[in-house]
Amino acid sequence: MMEHYSDKELVRIILKGNQSAYADLIDRHKVFVFNLSLRMLKQRELAEEVAQDVFIKVYRKLNTYKGDSKFSSWLYSIAYRTCLDQIKKEKRHLGVQTLEEKH
């Protein structure tokens, strides 16, 4: 239905209150976000969870997208940082586990 709109136009439509347009935006970029997450995290289930987290963050931060860069670049930076945060969390979890195993 909204596939003829650009990403910037979709963002404007969403911010004006059309929530169903957000589903179109997700559909347009979900494979990109999932593939990035999978490449970085190397676990399918974790990549799926992180991809969902990314789109929740994007929705919350949508009003900060200024349109100066391509939407996909803005989305990539959020997805990349979310994956890095997950990697750090996993490392901390593994570190705690290792310490507990030593005692």
Side-chain angles (χ1 to χ4, degrees):
M1 180 168 107
M2 301 219 172
E3 50 284 323
H4 62 280
Y5 289 106
S6 71
D7 288 340
K8 288 180 187 181
E9 290 169 325
L10 270 180
V11 169
R12 269 184 260 138
I13 291 167
I14 295 162
L15 291 174
K16 286 182 181 177
N18 185 334
Q19 302 304 310
S20 65
Y22 191 63
D24 292 317
L25 196 62
I26 289 173
D27 285 344
R28 191 176 286 185
H29 296 285
K30 66 185 177 187
V31 171
F32 165 72
V33 170
F34 174 73
N35 286 338
L36 171 64
S37 300
L38 187 59
R39 274 196 318 274
M40 290 183 71
L41 302 169
K42 299 181 182 14
Q43 296 178 39
R44 184 172 197 80
E45 283 183 22
L46 192 54
E48 288 170 354
E49 287 177 32
V50 168
Q52 287 178 346
D53 290 346
V54 166
F55 284 110
I56 291 168
K57 286 181 181 182
V58 166
Y59 184 77
R60 290 181 180 150
K61 296 179 178 193
L62 205 53
N63 64 332
T64 68
Y65 174 65
K66 302 299 180 209
D68 300 336
S69 61
K70 287 174 59 175
F71 179 80
S72 59
S73 299
W74 183 78
L75 174 62
Y76 175 88
S77 75
I78 292 172
Y80 184 78
R81 285 194 309 271
T82 303
C83 287
L84 287 180
D85 290 345
Q86 183 63 42
I87 290 167
K88 288 177 193 169
K89 189 191 300 183
E90 293 292 313
K91 283 183 179 176
R92 279 195 304 269
H93 178 71
L94 289 174
V96 167
Q97 233 176 7
T98 305
L99 287 174
E100 288 173 357
E101 289 169 4
K102 288 181 180 178
H103 294 283

